[in-house]
Amino acid sequence: MAVTDHVNLNQFMEGVKKRNAYQPEFVQAVQEVAEDIFEFMEDKEEYHSAQILRRIAEPDRVVSFRVCWEDDAGNIRVQRGWRVQNNNAIGPYKGGIRFHPSVTESVLKFLAFEQTFKNALTGLPMGGGKGGSNFNPKGKSVREIMRFCQSFMTELYRHIGADIDVPAGDIGVGGREIGYMFGQYKRITNQFTGVLTGKGLEWGGSLIRTEATGYGAVYFLENMFATKDENLEGKTAVISGSGNVATHAAEKIVQLGGKVLTLSDSGGFIHDPDGIDQEKIDWVKTHKTHRRGRIEEYVEEYPNATFHAGKTPWGVACDMALPCATQNELLGDDAKTLIKNGCRAVSEGANMPTDLDGVHAFKDARILYAPGKASNAGGVAVSGLEMSQNSERRSWKEDELQQMLKDIMAGIHKRCEEYGTQEGGYIDYVKGANIAGFKKVADAMLAFGVV
Ligand code: NDP
Ligand code: 2IT
């Protein structure tokens, strides 16, 4: 092939599939981005000849390590840990850590790839990374979780640093786990630095980091509805998940006058036709986080609600849907059902919750559809602000941070609008987010030459 002949989208994806055999989540994430980027690059020789997308879709490095720990019964347990450092063209690697039995190298590679675009979209100087383990925190004692976190950090510490790679929380990793990992990092290195975000407020954490992902996803919804001169007042929402992102998304919807009908966990979903108000959300937060209970127990507390075992909530009619649990939890048929039942907007709190068929269904129906890399970026954005506060050795005020989060979400919306507006005024947020995120990273990579 002559140097100027470029591979087309299909040839590119064939290569990605071949090089990443048995990594379906990673291939899926790359496919979703490549569909838009190939169109964008058509007349841009510099990106083609520098192989920019090919390079972003090849992590800078994947570190895989053994994590040994001792359970309460004295048994030695062995898990696998990873850190995927995808791209640091615009800042230190940044992204969460996930503890869940479904974690594989493919899952973490897709998350680190997505994170690269998401972090660029925030406008803050952060590269993309992700880490985690197939460790299952469910059913483990707090001491077991502590020992696991310490062992995980005993290897991870040598790969991270405030200017190198800054992990945070994700599924199964909240304030408690960040505390254990930060404690171990500090103990090993004897350094108090901003090496992790999502820290406690007493030891370098930022106000509103806990709330930021869920709140940000709802601010993004507000921005989308504002393009139709509408707000969230009186609108119904169906939400999946009942963890950090889901409960804070629910909280912000209620604050803005909307009505939340569902929440879920891996056991099924609850439907509360009276609406899940602030008091009920507080009950769920305590129940799921502190008591580590199951969502099905909601119906014992609130008997007007019903529990639907083993089901996702997408069959409940609503104005807007927020998938806030995990990847591929909303499939093509679910998307069609939502559209048929009148759903007008989708804001993804989770990463890649909608499969490719679902993405195409939402785009074809031209509803307001925000991909996670745009709508859930509020969390990592406030993590970026936590890094700035740590560097300054100061803590900013809550109202300042609230305003910054709102401004960042509005900025992301604007960038999606700029690159995603189609003939007739329809905004393709997927395309807008992919192109805006790509362009920033790609231009930095061009400046660095072939490295
Ligand atoms: P949490 O651990 O707090 O909550 C996860 C929720 O999702 C729980 O309700 C859990 O149910 C459910 N869930 C997890 N895995 C599955 C599964 N395989 N099938 C069904 N339900 C599942 O995590 P977060 O709220 O932090 O994260 C949720 C999503 O948001 C993830 O996709 C994450 O990557 C994304 N995200 C998180 C950010 C953050 O700041 N925390 C930032 C941006 C995105 P159960 O209790 O049964 O496990
Ligand atoms: O997916 C995500 O953006 C996160 N889990 C948050 C990452 C971070 O560094 O705050």
Side-chain angles (χ1 to χ4, degrees):
M1 190 189 303
V3 191
T4 46
D5 283 350
H6 304 307
V7 294
N8 62 29
L9 173 62
N10 285 338
Q11 292 164 326
F12 175 80
M13 283 313 304
E14 279 315 307
V16 170
K17 282 179 200 152
K18 214 162 115 193
R19 286 187 299 277
N20 302 280
Y22 312 112
Q23 300 201 334
E25 294 87 359
F26 178 66
V27 171
Q28 180 186 338
V30 175
Q31 166 97 36
E32 192 208 279
V33 168
E35 284 176 7
D36 291 323
I37 298 307
F38 266 80
E39 193 188 311
F40 171 71
M41 290 196 304
E42 214 156 89
D43 55 352
K44 296 177 184 65
E45 172 60 27
E46 66 277 24
Y47 296 140
H48 274 294
S49 54
Q51 300 267 11
I52 297 292
L53 188 59
R54 169 87 172 76
R55 285 156 66 185
I56 300 179
E58 192 68 49
D60 287 356
R61 66 191 63 79
V62 179
V63 185
S64 160
F65 50 95
R66 182 185 65 240
V67 187
C68 289
W69 58 286
E70 192 175 348
D71 69 20
D72 288 344
N75 302 306
I76 305 302
R77 311 282 289 262
V78 184
Q79 246 77 47
R80 193 168 289 177
W82 289 270
R83 186 71 184 166
V84 180
Q85 298 180 330
N86 193 70
N87 185 291
N88 68 351
I90 63 165
Y93 304 107
K94 180 85 196 87
I97 291 179
R98 177 178 293 191
F99 292 162
H100 194 274
S102 64
V103 167
T104 60
E105 190 175 310
S106 169
V107 167
L108 296 177
K109 275 173 66 181
F110 112 66
L111 287 162
F113 178 79
E114 287 280 291
Q115 197 84 43
T116 303
F117 297 85
K118 183 197 305 191
N119 293 2
L121 272 173
T122 65
L124 300 174
M126 300 181 290
K130 199 87 185 188
S133 173
N134 57 355
F135 172 71
N136 184 2
K138 278 202 198 91
K140 304 291 188 301
S141 72
V142 173
R143 282 304 168 100
E144 288 176 325
I145 288 173
M146 180 187 78
R147 288 196 291 275
F148 179 80
C149 288
Q150 290 174 337
S151 184
F152 185 82
M153 185 52 83
T154 300
E155 172 60 32
L156 185 68
Y157 90 95
R158 65 185 89 246
H159 308 290
I160 61 176
D163 294 318
I164 302 170
D165 182 355
V166 182
D170 193 78
I171 292 177
V173 177
R176 179 180 55 199
E177 291 75 19
I178 294 292
Y180 294 145
M181 286 192 269
F182 186 75
Q184 183 73 349
Y185 181 87
K186 190 167 67 56
R187 177 193 193 191
I188 297 172
T189 63
N190 198 27
Q191 285 185 0
F192 195 111
T193 67
V195 67
L196 293 168
T197 60
K199 299 187 291 301
L201 296 179
E202 305 81 5
W203 38 281
S206 174
L207 286 161
I208 74 154
R209 173 61 190 89
T210 309
E211 297 85 353
T213 310
Y215 282 16
V218 177
Y219 292 144
F220 202 88
L221 256 183
E222 262 195 313
N223 279 287
M224 291 201 293
F225 272 116
T227 65
K228 311 255 175 219
D229 291 323
E230 290 182 51
N231 59 32
L232 304 195
E233 188 93 43
K235 290 194 167 64
T236 52
V238 159
I239 301 182
S240 66
S242 49
N244 172 278
V245 180
T247 52
H248 292 103
E251 189 165 294
K252 186 50 75 180
I253 286 175
V254 170
Q255 285 171 15
L256 295 175
K259 185 175 177 184
V260 177
L261 298 176
T262 69
L263 288 171
S264 75
D265 64 17
S266 49
F269 78 92
I270 55 107
H271 178 198
D272 187 341
D274 299 338
I276 304 171
D277 60 17
Q278 186 64 52
E279 181 229 304
K280 296 172 179 174
I281 295 169
D282 289 341
W283 182 88
V284 172
K285 279 187 188 170
T286 309
H287 181 66
K288 289 286 301 187
T289 314
H290 301 300
R291 292 198 291 272
R292 296 164 79 194
R294 309 302 306 153
I295 199 69
E296 65 178 293
E297 288 153 280
Y298 181 99
V299 298
E300 288 162 28
E301 195 72 15
Y302 305 104
N304 271 357
T306 48
F307 175 65
H308 306 264
K311 296 230 159 64
T312 50
W314 315 123
V316 176
C318 60
D319 299 311
M320 46 206 192
L322 292 94
C324 296
T326 193
Q327 64 273 3
N328 291 328
E329 55 163 324
L330 197 165
L331 310 178
D333 285 344
D334 301 319
K336 285 179 198 137
T337 305
L338 281 166
I339 295 161
K340 181 170 67 71
N341 288 341
C343 177
R344 297 178 49 217
V346 177
S347 178
E348 295 184 342
N351 287 304
M352 205 171 74
T354 310
D355 75 353
L356 273 172
D357 286 347
V359 172
H360 292 144
F362 288 142
K363 288 193 355 170
D364 290 346
R366 297 194 150 217
I367 67 165
L368 301 168
Y369 167 55
K373 62 171 79 71
S375 47
N376 74 35
V380 75
V382 176
S383 276
L385 302 179
E386 184 172 329
M387 289 166 71
S388 301
Q389 294 170 78
N390 291 165
S391 298
E392 259 192 357
R393 300 193 194 286
R394 286 185 56 211
S395 299
W396 301 340
K397 293 197 185 73
E398 181 165 351
D399 53 350
E400 290 173 324
L401 287 156
Q402 290 278 14
Q403 193 55 48
M404 284 186 218
L405 173 60
K406 277 190 196 167
D407 290 347
I408 287 171
M409 296 315 295
I412 296 171
H413 185 274
K414 198 160 152 269
R415 284 186 267 283
C416 290
E417 212 171 4
E418 188 180 341
Y419 291 100
T421 302
Q422 309 293 292
E423 252 174 67
Y426 164 66
I427 304 172
D428 181 340
Y429 288 94
V430 178
K431 180 185 276 187
N434 285 337
I435 296 176
F438 173 80
K439 197 172 175 313
K440 183 166 176 186
V441 176
D443 290 345
M445 289 172 73
L446 285 180
F448 301 147
V450 183
V451 288

